[in-house]
Structure formats: structure tokens, C-alpha cells
Amino acid sequence: MLSREEVVAWVAIRYGPRHAEKRASDGGFAFWVDTQPDDYHDGHPNAMTYGNGPCVIVKRTGDVWHLASNPDSLPIYGARSAKELARTMRAAGMNPNIPDETIGGTLADLPDPAARKVDHHAHLVRWLSSNGWQEDAYRIDDRVFAFVVVPTPEISGNGPIFVVKRTAGVWYLGSSPAVHAAAYGARGEAEFYAALLSVVPQADPRQPHDRIPQSYENPF
């Protein structure tokens, strides 16, 4: 069963963090997500886009449908149960058995933030050592939701490495100033993913560049 917090985290990644709370509304059996651009939510009605309707996310399954705003789709917006949603979808020519996507283990089932997978320097240092890093070649900054491995100036062209604590996901940011600015501006995990997508659209929050194992023998 999806919670509002899990849906808001998904919304922040998909549509950006600024209006994530405002976008998601509780419809009982499902959450409805407004997909209008940030400028529209900032109070600029001319920024409204046409053709895209809301997303509906069924709490019990995490199934997501991206709805249109054409007349055939409008009755779907009034659904008050999963059964009614399925009926109105069929009437609009949609298949209620085939969602556009499902919020599953990627976000909805993430462990509580307290159960972080990489929560201390020693774990990270062992991983760095196993990959040939010498301790005088970097420093580690703690940004609450992630550790940031910053190479020393001699190898600064490699760029920083963000290690998300909760997922043990490793993100190599390279040398792009735009990517650095976006990542360092993030105040939490969801904002980090949203910031990354804003400058690297092909990035997938579910597919980090690497992942730190929970336990291993240090080969060095």
C-alpha cells in the first residue's frame, strides 16, 4: 500500500521537487497527480499545457496511468474506486490491466531512511580502497542523504562521486559544472534525482553507475 510520502517522492523525481506536495492529492483508493508545469503552479496560467491530464496511482498496487485530457478521458477523473476506475478506463478505450508503469521496489518499497545501507565512513573507505583509491587522494563530505567523495586537485578532472546512503547507489558526476551545480543544490535524495534529470535527461534514478555491496573482502 503506497503512502503519500512515497508518492510525493516519486512525483519529486518525475516532475521536480518544487510543487511535489501540491501536485499529489489523495483520492481514497488512489492518488491523483497534477502534471502541469512548474510555471503554471507558480501562478502563470498561460503556461498550461494541453493534452496531458493527471496521473492516477492506485495505492494498493502502485500501478500508474498517465491520462489524457480529451473528452473521452474526463469520466475517469471522477472514479471513486478501483472498480469504477477500471470501468471508466474501458469506456475510454484503455486497458485497466496494463498500467503505464508501476511504482514498486524502486521507490514505494524503499526501506525507512534510518535503515541506510552506507551510513558510515568506514564502509565507504573500504569500497574506495577496493577500487584502488589511496586515502590521501580524496576527502569525504557528508550531505546527510549522501556521502560525496571529492578527489584531490591532482585528479580533479574525475569530478565528485555521490553515494546515496539509503540505496548504496554510486553516481560519478564527471567534470560538467552544470551537473555539479545541480547535484550540490539538492537537499535530499528525491531532489538529487530530480536535479540530475534536469541536466542529464537520460539518467535513470533506478540505475546508478555502481552500487556499494553490503559486505565483501577487501582485496588490498
mmCIF file of all heavy atoms in Angstrom, residues 148-195:
data_model
loop_
_atom_site.group_PDB
_atom_site.id
_atom_site.type_symbol
_atom_site.label_atom_id
_atom_site.label_comp_id
_atom_site.label_asym_id
_atom_site.label_seq_id
_atom_site.Cartn_x
_atom_site.Cartn_y
_atom_site.Cartn_z
ATOM 1 N N VAL A 148 29.721 12.459 -0.329
ATOM 2 C CA VAL A 148 30.325 12.948 -1.566
ATOM 3 C C VAL A 148 31.827 12.731 -1.474
ATOM 4 O O VAL A 148 32.479 13.230 -0.556
ATOM 5 C CB VAL A 148 30.028 14.444 -1.801
ATOM 6 C CG1 VAL A 148 30.640 14.888 -3.132
ATOM 7 C CG2 VAL A 148 28.530 14.699 -1.795
ATOM 8 N N VAL A 149 32.348 11.963 -2.413
ATOM 9 C CA VAL A 149 33.783 11.714 -2.486
ATOM 10 C C VAL A 149 34.368 12.755 -3.435
ATOM 11 O O VAL A 149 34.028 12.790 -4.623
ATOM 12 C CB VAL A 149 34.083 10.295 -3.001
ATOM 13 C CG1 VAL A 149 35.595 10.063 -3.072
ATOM 14 C CG2 VAL A 149 33.415 9.256 -2.110
ATOM 15 N N VAL A 150 35.224 13.608 -2.892
ATOM 16 C CA VAL A 150 35.806 14.693 -3.680
ATOM 17 C C VAL A 150 37.278 14.385 -3.924
ATOM 18 O O VAL A 150 38.073 14.345 -2.977
ATOM 19 C CB VAL A 150 35.669 16.044 -2.950
ATOM 20 C CG1 VAL A 150 36.220 17.173 -3.821
ATOM 21 C CG2 VAL A 150 34.215 16.305 -2.577
ATOM 22 N N PRO A 151 37.675 14.151 -5.177
ATOM 23 C CA PRO A 151 39.083 13.864 -5.457
ATOM 24 C C PRO A 151 39.963 15.065 -5.125
ATOM 25 O O PRO A 151 39.520 16.216 -5.142
ATOM 26 C CB PRO A 151 39.099 13.577 -6.965
ATOM 27 C CG PRO A 151 37.684 13.254 -7.313
ATOM 28 C CD PRO A 151 36.847 14.083 -6.391
ATOM 29 N N THR A 152 41.221 14.796 -4.827
ATOM 30 C CA THR A 152 42.176 15.871 -4.587
ATOM 31 C C THR A 152 42.452 16.596 -5.895
ATOM 32 O O THR A 152 42.171 16.075 -6.974
ATOM 33 C CB THR A 152 43.482 15.310 -4.014
ATOM 34 O OG1 THR A 152 43.973 14.312 -4.915
ATOM 35 C CG2 THR A 152 43.262 14.694 -2.650
ATOM 36 N N PRO A 153 43.018 17.798 -5.833
ATOM 37 C CA PRO A 153 43.216 18.581 -7.070
ATOM 38 C C PRO A 153 43.984 17.854 -8.166
ATOM 39 O O PRO A 153 43.734 18.079 -9.349
ATOM 40 C CB PRO A 153 43.987 19.804 -6.575
ATOM 41 C CG PRO A 153 43.556 19.957 -5.153
ATOM 42 C CD PRO A 153 43.382 18.558 -4.640
ATOM 43 N N GLU A 154 44.888 16.954 -7.776
ATOM 44 C CA GLU A 154 45.701 16.273 -8.793
ATOM 45 C C GLU A 154 44.852 15.451 -9.769
ATOM 46 O O GLU A 154 45.253 15.223 -10.896
ATOM 47 C CB GLU A 154 46.723 15.349 -8.120
ATOM 48 C CG GLU A 154 47.860 16.070 -7.423
ATOM 49 C CD GLU A 154 47.425 16.635 -6.077
ATOM 50 O OE1 GLU A 154 46.329 16.278 -5.618
ATOM 51 O OE2 GLU A 154 48.186 17.443 -5.499
ATOM 52 N N ILE A 155 43.676 14.999 -9.308
ATOM 53 C CA ILE A 155 42.827 14.200 -10.194
ATOM 54 C C ILE A 155 41.423 14.796 -10.240
ATOM 55 O O ILE A 155 40.441 14.100 -10.414
ATOM 56 C CB ILE A 155 42.763 12.730 -9.742
ATOM 57 C CG1 ILE A 155 42.317 12.615 -8.277
ATOM 58 C CG2 ILE A 155 44.084 12.042 -9.948
ATOM 59 C CD1 ILE A 155 42.073 11.177 -7.841
ATOM 60 N N SER A 156 41.350 16.114 -10.106
ATOM 61 C CA SER A 156 40.051 16.767 -10.014
ATOM 62 C C SER A 156 39.224 16.629 -11.283
ATOM 63 O O SER A 156 38.022 16.814 -11.269
ATOM 64 C CB SER A 156 40.221 18.250 -9.673
ATOM 65 O OG SER A 156 40.993 18.896 -10.671
ATOM 66 N N GLY A 157 39.863 16.301 -12.404
ATOM 67 C CA GLY A 157 39.108 16.117 -13.638
ATOM 68 C C GLY A 157 38.108 14.987 -13.551
ATOM 69 O O GLY A 157 37.174 14.915 -14.344
ATOM 70 N N ASN A 158 38.317 14.084 -12.591
ATOM 71 C CA ASN A 158 37.379 12.971 -12.428
ATOM 72 C C ASN A 158 36.035 13.430 -11.887
ATOM 73 O O ASN A 158 35.030 12.762 -12.065
ATOM 74 C CB ASN A 158 37.961 11.919 -11.477
ATOM 75 C CG ASN A 158 39.119 11.170 -12.108
ATOM 76 O OD1 ASN A 158 39.382 11.316 -13.293
ATOM 77 N ND2 ASN A 158 39.814 10.382 -11.314
ATOM 78 N N GLY A 159 36.015 14.548 -11.189
ATOM 79 C CA GLY A 159 34.772 15.049 -10.621
ATOM 80 C C GLY A 159 34.364 14.306 -9.363
ATOM 81 O O GLY A 159 34.914 13.248 -9.030
ATOM 82 N N PRO A 160 33.383 14.836 -8.637
ATOM 83 C CA PRO A 160 32.940 14.207 -7.388
ATOM 84 C C PRO A 160 32.111 12.951 -7.638
ATOM 85 O O PRO A 160 31.582 12.736 -8.727
ATOM 86 C CB PRO A 160 32.097 15.301 -6.733
ATOM 87 C CG PRO A 160 31.568 16.091 -7.888
ATOM 88 C CD PRO A 160 32.663 16.086 -8.921
ATOM 89 N N ILE A 161 32.010 12.141 -6.606
ATOM 90 C CA ILE A 161 31.199 10.930 -6.639
ATOM 91 C C ILE A 161 30.156 11.048 -5.538
ATOM 92 O O ILE A 161 30.500 11.242 -4.370
ATOM 93 C CB ILE A 161 32.051 9.669 -6.398
ATOM 94 C CG1 ILE A 161 33.165 9.566 -7.440
ATOM 95 C CG2 ILE A 161 31.185 8.418 -6.410
ATOM 96 C CD1 ILE A 161 34.195 8.495 -7.105
ATOM 97 N N PHE A 162 28.885 10.958 -5.895
ATOM 98 C CA PHE A 162 27.812 10.965 -4.905
ATOM 99 C C PHE A 162 27.438 9.521 -4.582
ATOM 100 O O PHE A 162 27.176 8.724 -5.491
ATOM 101 C CB PHE A 162 26.583 11.710 -5.430
ATOM 102 C CG PHE A 162 26.574 13.179 -5.118
ATOM 103 C CD1 PHE A 162 27.540 14.018 -5.656
ATOM 104 C CD2 PHE A 162 25.607 13.728 -4.279
ATOM 105 C CE1 PHE A 162 27.539 15.378 -5.375
ATOM 106 C CE2 PHE A 162 25.603 15.081 -3.986
ATOM 107 C CZ PHE A 162 26.566 15.917 -4.528
ATOM 108 N N VAL A 163 27.402 9.193 -3.290
ATOM 109 C CA VAL A 163 26.991 7.866 -2.839
ATOM 110 C C VAL A 163 25.734 8.039 -1.994
ATOM 111 O O VAL A 163 25.790 8.551 -0.872
ATOM 112 C CB VAL A 163 28.099 7.178 -2.014
ATOM 113 C CG1 VAL A 163 27.632 5.803 -1.549
ATOM 114 C CG2 VAL A 163 29.385 7.061 -2.831
ATOM 115 N N VAL A 164 24.597 7.655 -2.536
ATOM 116 C CA VAL A 164 23.325 7.800 -1.824
ATOM 117 C C VAL A 164 23.268 6.764 -0.712
ATOM 118 O O VAL A 164 23.360 5.559 -0.958
ATOM 119 C CB VAL A 164 22.135 7.638 -2.794
ATOM 120 C CG1 VAL A 164 20.812 7.712 -2.034
ATOM 121 C CG2 VAL A 164 22.188 8.717 -3.876
ATOM 122 N N LYS A 165 23.125 7.224 0.513
ATOM 123 C CA LYS A 165 23.226 6.329 1.664
ATOM 124 C C LYS A 165 22.149 5.249 1.669
ATOM 125 O O LYS A 165 22.420 4.085 1.963
ATOM 126 C CB LYS A 165 23.132 7.140 2.958
ATOM 127 C CG LYS A 165 24.287 8.098 3.181
ATOM 128 C CD LYS A 165 24.092 8.879 4.469
ATOM 129 C CE LYS A 165 25.209 9.868 4.711
ATOM 130 N NZ LYS A 165 25.012 10.627 5.965
ATOM 131 N N ARG A 166 20.923 5.629 1.361
ATOM 132 C CA ARG A 166 19.805 4.706 1.526
ATOM 133 C C ARG A 166 19.824 3.562 0.528
ATOM 134 O O ARG A 166 19.354 2.466 0.813
ATOM 135 C CB ARG A 166 18.484 5.465 1.423
ATOM 136 C CG ARG A 166 17.272 4.604 1.736
ATOM 137 C CD ARG A 166 16.017 5.409 1.867
ATOM 138 N NE ARG A 166 15.663 6.054 0.610
ATOM 139 C CZ ARG A 166 14.494 6.672 0.428
ATOM 140 N NH1 ARG A 166 13.627 6.743 1.413
ATOM 141 N NH2 ARG A 166 14.222 7.238 -0.726
ATOM 142 N N THR A 167 20.381 3.795 -0.651
ATOM 143 C CA THR A 167 20.372 2.771 -1.693
ATOM 144 C C THR A 167 21.748 2.211 -2.000
ATOM 145 O O THR A 167 21.854 1.238 -2.741
ATOM 146 C CB THR A 167 19.798 3.345 -2.993
ATOM 147 O OG1 THR A 167 20.690 4.354 -3.481
ATOM 148 C CG2 THR A 167 18.419 3.941 -2.774
ATOM 149 N N ALA A 168 22.805 2.846 -1.464
ATOM 150 C CA ALA A 168 24.191 2.483 -1.775
ATOM 151 C C ALA A 168 24.516 2.732 -3.241
ATOM 152 O O ALA A 168 25.492 2.207 -3.769
ATOM 153 C CB ALA A 168 24.490 1.032 -1.401
ATOM 154 N N GLY A 169 23.691 3.532 -3.916
ATOM 155 C CA GLY A 169 23.932 3.851 -5.316
ATOM 156 C C GLY A 169 25.069 4.845 -5.481
ATOM 157 O O GLY A 169 25.185 5.810 -4.722
ATOM 158 N N VAL A 170 25.914 4.603 -6.472
ATOM 159 C CA VAL A 170 27.091 5.432 -6.736
ATOM 160 C C VAL A 170 26.886 6.184 -8.045
ATOM 161 O O VAL A 170 26.573 5.584 -9.080
ATOM 162 C CB VAL A 170 28.361 4.564 -6.838
ATOM 163 C CG1 VAL A 170 29.579 5.427 -7.151
ATOM 164 C CG2 VAL A 170 28.572 3.779 -5.550
ATOM 165 N N TRP A 171 27.072 7.500 -7.980
ATOM 166 C CA TRP A 171 26.892 8.346 -9.161
ATOM 167 C C TRP A 171 28.182 9.112 -9.434
ATOM 168 O O TRP A 171 28.615 9.913 -8.617
ATOM 169 C CB TRP A 171 25.739 9.330 -8.936
ATOM 170 C CG TRP A 171 24.431 8.638 -8.733
ATOM 171 C CD1 TRP A 171 23.909 8.183 -7.551
ATOM 172 C CD2 TRP A 171 23.484 8.284 -9.745
ATOM 173 N NE1 TRP A 171 22.699 7.575 -7.761
ATOM 174 C CE2 TRP A 171 22.410 7.623 -9.095
ATOM 175 C CE3 TRP A 171 23.433 8.472 -11.123
ATOM 176 C CZ2 TRP A 171 21.299 7.144 -9.788
ATOM 177 C CZ3 TRP A 171 22.330 7.998 -11.817
ATOM 178 C CH2 TRP A 171 21.281 7.346 -11.152
ATOM 179 N N TYR A 172 28.806 8.837 -10.585
ATOM 180 C CA TYR A 172 30.017 9.542 -10.995
ATOM 181 C C TYR A 172 29.588 10.781 -11.780
ATOM 182 O O TYR A 172 29.003 10.669 -12.863
ATOM 183 C CB TYR A 172 30.886 8.642 -11.869
ATOM 184 C CG TYR A 172 31.330 7.368 -11.185
ATOM 185 C CD1 TYR A 172 30.710 6.146 -11.474
ATOM 186 C CD2 TYR A 172 32.355 7.383 -10.250
ATOM 187 C CE1 TYR A 172 31.112 4.973 -10.850
ATOM 188 C CE2 TYR A 172 32.768 6.217 -9.618
ATOM 189 C CZ TYR A 172 32.143 5.016 -9.922
ATOM 190 O OH TYR A 172 32.543 3.864 -9.293
ATOM 191 N N LEU A 173 29.868 11.958 -11.253
ATOM 192 C CA LEU A 173 29.337 13.184 -11.846
ATOM 193 C C LEU A 173 30.212 13.790 -12.929
ATOM 194 O O LEU A 173 29.811 14.762 -13.566
ATOM 195 C CB LEU A 173 29.078 14.221 -10.751
ATOM 196 C CG LEU A 173 28.067 13.808 -9.676
ATOM 197 C CD1 LEU A 173 27.699 15.011 -8.832
ATOM 198 C CD2 LEU A 173 26.816 13.179 -10.283
ATOM 199 N N GLY A 174 31.402 13.246 -13.147
ATOM 200 C CA GLY A 174 32.238 13.764 -14.222
ATOM 201 C C GLY A 174 32.696 15.184 -13.959
ATOM 202 O O GLY A 174 32.778 15.639 -12.814
ATOM 203 N N SER A 175 32.974 15.917 -15.026
ATOM 204 C CA SER A 175 33.560 17.253 -14.877
ATOM 205 C C SER A 175 32.629 18.379 -15.317
ATOM 206 O O SER A 175 33.055 19.525 -15.416
ATOM 207 C CB SER A 175 34.866 17.331 -15.678
ATOM 208 O OG SER A 175 34.627 17.035 -17.052
ATOM 209 N N SER A 176 31.362 18.078 -15.577
ATOM 210 C CA SER A 176 30.433 19.106 -16.051
ATOM 211 C C SER A 176 30.015 20.043 -14.918
ATOM 212 O O SER A 176 29.421 19.603 -13.932
ATOM 213 C CB SER A 176 29.178 18.457 -16.643
ATOM 214 O OG SER A 176 28.160 19.414 -16.836
ATOM 215 N N PRO A 177 30.282 21.344 -15.040
ATOM 216 C CA PRO A 177 29.854 22.293 -13.998
ATOM 217 C C PRO A 177 28.341 22.293 -13.789
ATOM 218 O O PRO A 177 27.865 22.469 -12.661
ATOM 219 C CB PRO A 177 30.345 23.645 -14.528
ATOM 220 C CG PRO A 177 31.475 23.312 -15.447
ATOM 221 C CD PRO A 177 31.079 22.017 -16.089
ATOM 222 N N ALA A 178 27.572 22.094 -14.863
ATOM 223 C CA ALA A 178 26.111 22.099 -14.738
ATOM 224 C C ALA A 178 25.632 20.932 -13.887
ATOM 225 O O ALA A 178 24.731 21.078 -13.048
ATOM 226 C CB ALA A 178 25.466 22.043 -16.126
ATOM 227 N N VAL A 179 26.238 19.770 -14.091
ATOM 228 C CA VAL A 179 25.868 18.593 -13.303
ATOM 229 C C VAL A 179 26.258 18.802 -11.843
ATOM 230 O O VAL A 179 25.494 18.491 -10.922
ATOM 231 C CB VAL A 179 26.528 17.323 -13.866
ATOM 232 C CG1 VAL A 179 26.262 16.129 -12.953
ATOM 233 C CG2 VAL A 179 26.006 17.030 -15.272
ATOM 234 N N HIS A 180 27.450 19.356 -11.611
ATOM 235 C CA HIS A 180 27.897 19.609 -10.239
ATOM 236 C C HIS A 180 26.943 20.563 -9.525
ATOM 237 O O HIS A 180 26.536 20.325 -8.381
ATOM 238 C CB HIS A 180 29.306 20.212 -10.238
ATOM 239 C CG HIS A 180 30.356 19.294 -10.763
ATOM 240 N ND1 HIS A 180 31.685 19.639 -10.827
ATOM 241 C CD2 HIS A 180 30.282 18.033 -11.260
ATOM 242 C CE1 HIS A 180 32.379 18.640 -11.336
ATOM 243 N NE2 HIS A 180 31.550 17.662 -11.614
ATOM 244 N N ALA A 181 26.581 21.655 -10.195
ATOM 245 C CA ALA A 181 25.710 22.652 -9.571
ATOM 246 C C ALA A 181 24.356 22.051 -9.228
ATOM 247 O O ALA A 181 23.798 22.308 -8.151
ATOM 248 C CB ALA A 181 25.539 23.850 -10.507
ATOM 249 N N ALA A 182 23.820 21.239 -10.133
ATOM 250 C CA ALA A 182 22.520 20.622 -9.886
ATOM 251 C C ALA A 182 22.592 19.673 -8.695
ATOM 252 O O ALA A 182 21.741 19.701 -7.799
ATOM 253 C CB ALA A 182 22.049 19.877 -11.132
ATOM 254 N N ALA A 183 23.620 18.829 -8.662
ATOM 255 C CA ALA A 183 23.736 17.836 -7.593
ATOM 256 C C ALA A 183 23.973 18.492 -6.238
ATOM 257 O O ALA A 183 23.347 18.126 -5.236
ATOM 258 C CB ALA A 183 24.869 16.864 -7.914
ATOM 259 N N TYR A 184 24.856 19.477 -6.192
ATOM 260 C CA TYR A 184 25.170 20.115 -4.915
ATOM 261 C C TYR A 184 24.013 20.973 -4.402
ATOM 262 O O TYR A 184 23.952 21.292 -3.213
ATOM 263 C CB TYR A 184 26.436 20.957 -5.038
ATOM 264 C CG TYR A 184 27.709 20.163 -4.871
ATOM 265 C CD1 TYR A 184 28.493 19.834 -5.969
ATOM 266 C CD2 TYR A 184 28.122 19.737 -3.615
ATOM 267 C CE1 TYR A 184 29.659 19.100 -5.825
ATOM 268 C CE2 TYR A 184 29.283 19.001 -3.458
ATOM 269 C CZ TYR A 184 30.056 18.684 -4.564
ATOM 270 O OH TYR A 184 31.209 17.952 -4.412
ATOM 271 N N GLY A 185 23.092 21.332 -5.285
ATOM 272 C CA GLY A 185 21.944 22.110 -4.844
ATOM 273 C C GLY A 185 20.850 21.273 -4.216
ATOM 274 O O GLY A 185 19.912 21.809 -3.620
ATOM 275 N N ALA A 186 20.959 19.947 -4.332
ATOM 276 C CA ALA A 186 19.921 19.062 -3.802
ATOM 277 C C ALA A 186 19.992 18.986 -2.282
ATOM 278 O O ALA A 186 21.070 18.868 -1.704
ATOM 279 C CB ALA A 186 20.070 17.670 -4.403
ATOM 280 N N ARG A 187 18.825 19.028 -1.651
ATOM 281 C CA ARG A 187 18.751 18.960 -0.192
ATOM 282 C C ARG A 187 18.317 17.590 0.315
ATOM 283 O O ARG A 187 18.225 17.363 1.516
ATOM 284 C CB ARG A 187 17.774 20.020 0.318
ATOM 285 C CG ARG A 187 18.212 21.451 0.037
ATOM 286 C CD ARG A 187 17.070 22.415 0.227
ATOM 287 N NE ARG A 187 15.993 22.146 -0.730
ATOM 288 C CZ ARG A 187 14.852 22.824 -0.770
ATOM 289 N NH1 ARG A 187 14.624 23.779 0.095
ATOM 290 N NH2 ARG A 187 13.930 22.523 -1.676
ATOM 291 N N GLY A 188 18.045 16.679 -0.607
ATOM 292 C CA GLY A 188 17.623 15.342 -0.223
ATOM 293 C C GLY A 188 17.707 14.409 -1.410
ATOM 294 O O GLY A 188 18.029 14.822 -2.535
ATOM 295 N N GLU A 189 17.410 13.139 -1.177
ATOM 296 C CA GLU A 189 17.555 12.134 -2.226
ATOM 297 C C GLU A 189 16.653 12.422 -3.421
ATOM 298 O O GLU A 189 17.093 12.373 -4.576
ATOM 299 C CB GLU A 189 17.244 10.751 -1.651
ATOM 300 C CG GLU A 189 17.481 9.611 -2.628
ATOM 301 C CD GLU A 189 17.187 8.256 -2.012
ATOM 302 O OE1 GLU A 189 17.056 8.162 -0.768
ATOM 303 O OE2 GLU A 189 17.079 7.288 -2.777
ATOM 304 N N ALA A 190 15.381 12.712 -3.170
ATOM 305 C CA ALA A 190 14.457 12.971 -4.276
ATOM 306 C C ALA A 190 14.897 14.191 -5.080
ATOM 307 O O ALA A 190 14.849 14.187 -6.313
ATOM 308 C CB ALA A 190 13.038 13.164 -3.746
ATOM 309 N N GLU A 191 15.338 15.235 -4.389
ATOM 310 C CA GLU A 191 15.804 16.433 -5.091
ATOM 311 C C GLU A 191 17.064 16.137 -5.900
ATOM 312 O O GLU A 191 17.267 16.705 -6.977
ATOM 313 C CB GLU A 191 16.073 17.569 -4.103
ATOM 314 C CG GLU A 191 14.814 18.227 -3.581
ATOM 315 C CD GLU A 191 15.105 19.544 -2.875
ATOM 316 O OE1 GLU A 191 16.207 20.101 -3.081
ATOM 317 O OE2 GLU A 191 14.233 20.006 -2.122
ATOM 318 N N PHE A 192 17.911 15.259 -5.387
ATOM 319 C CA PHE A 192 19.122 14.893 -6.121
ATOM 320 C C PHE A 192 18.764 14.248 -7.456
ATOM 321 O O PHE A 192 19.302 14.605 -8.506
ATOM 322 C CB PHE A 192 19.980 13.941 -5.282
ATOM 323 C CG PHE A 192 21.135 13.328 -6.029
ATOM 324 C CD1 PHE A 192 22.230 14.089 -6.397
ATOM 325 C CD2 PHE A 192 21.121 11.979 -6.365
ATOM 326 C CE1 PHE A 192 23.300 13.526 -7.095
ATOM 327 C CE2 PHE A 192 22.181 11.408 -7.053
ATOM 328 C CZ PHE A 192 23.268 12.181 -7.417
ATOM 329 N N TYR A 193 17.821 13.299 -7.431
ATOM 330 C CA TYR A 193 17.417 12.644 -8.671
ATOM 331 C C TYR A 193 16.777 13.643 -9.633
ATOM 332 O O TYR A 193 17.039 13.624 -10.838
ATOM 333 C CB TYR A 193 16.439 11.511 -8.384
ATOM 334 C CG TYR A 193 17.003 10.390 -7.551
ATOM 335 C CD1 TYR A 193 16.243 9.791 -6.554
ATOM 336 C CD2 TYR A 193 18.297 9.925 -7.757
ATOM 337 C CE1 TYR A 193 16.753 8.759 -5.784
ATOM 338 C CE2 TYR A 193 18.818 8.897 -6.990
ATOM 339 C CZ TYR A 193 18.039 8.314 -6.006
ATOM 340 O OH TYR A 193 18.547 7.298 -5.239
ATOM 341 N N ALA A 194 15.909 14.497 -9.094
ATOM 342 C CA ALA A 194 15.253 15.489 -9.945
ATOM 343 C C ALA A 194 16.279 16.433 -10.564
ATOM 344 O O ALA A 194 16.190 16.782 -11.744
ATOM 345 C CB ALA A 194 14.227 16.278 -9.133
ATOM 346 N N ALA A 195 17.266 16.846 -9.763
ATOM 347 C CA ALA A 195 18.307 17.743 -10.268
ATOM 348 C C ALA A 195 19.136 17.054 -11.344
ATOM 349 O O ALA A 195 19.478 17.652 -12.369
ATOM 350 C CB ALA A 195 19.200 18.198 -9.115
#
